[in-house]
Amino acid sequence: MLIDTYGRVATDLRVSLTDRCNLRCTYCMPEEGLQWLAKPDLLTDDEIVRLIDIAVTSLGIEEVRFTGGEPLLRPGLVGIVERVAALEPRPQMSLTTNGIGLRRTATALKAAGLDRVNVSLDTLRPDVFKTLTRRDRHKDVLEGLAAAREAGLTPVKVNSVLMPGLNDDEAPDLLAWAVEHDYELRFIEQMPLDAQHGWKREGMVTAGDILTSLRTRFELTAEGSEERGSAPAERWLVDGGPHRVGVIASVTRPFCSACDRTRLTADGQVRTCLFATEETDLRAALRSDAPDEEIARIWRLAMWGKKAGAGLDDPTFVQPDRPMSAIGG
């Protein structure tokens, strides 16, 4: 079991498969990209599967989410999914992606055992998409979403970040579109995880702003806390249901007290929190032929030291050195 000193138990593992991405979203990385990890620094497919095996069979992990960077850029992704699906007990598996490669991979991922996907899409307007991502790939994302739904990777969840002056007027349109296409939309407050450290609390689009905008067109009925559990998104029924919309308010409505996540970076570091400034190295243990029991012990010790919260409301908050593309969302 992965328990911390506050009694929280981690059952959800987020695994970053690569730090690379084929978009350049303004809230994540600079236009020229980043200095990518060298290939020898990345975990191999075998190492990733071994760590997930340890997490599932020895540490109580029940859900595995593959992230990046962009996980569809990982050449061995389908094989990794297939091998994790064969574990006993079998964890639930999902993938967070920008959707660009989904049209060609959705069917294979479903056949390998993937359960569902989260796809990032911040706008319905191709010109705004190009401004936000610095790439002209809007059509590819829409096709990827449709392919995921047709392959049965459901519920298909769509993650949207609203940025002032760019797409902050699109919340009602995005929700109407998601309802029409049977996607579950989740708005995410912009977080201080950009490589250029340009995030500012002042002027960010908050959960309150988003809900106010949505209520100009929809009736929203809040789900209870029992329905939410440890999920990061607060959810509302749209016009009485069955469709729902979620808001992940990491900045203005933090949910740290219910956090059940542990994170593994693409180079084999355990992160106890998305906003952590410390990491614990599992790659070194793997490559020094440490037995599974020792790796599990190191992981338990790392999680035992997890802090009470992310500290975003602390005026002395220090933004992590690694951007979101390197540690997974």
Side-chain angles (χ1 to χ4, degrees), residues 204-215:
M204 65 171 286
V205 182
T206 68
D209 298 330
I210 294 165
L211 293 171
T212 296
S213 179
L214 292 176
R215 286 184 171 121

Side-chain angles (χ1 to χ4, degrees), residues 21 23-31 98 120 122 131-134 194 196:
C21 188
L23 296 180
R24 297 291 181 269
C25 297
T26 56
Y27 51 78
C28 184
M29 68 172 74
E31 185 170 5
N98 62 30
S120 299
D122 303 322
T131 299
L132 277 168
T133 68
R134 305 183 179 104
D194 57 310
Q196 57 270 43

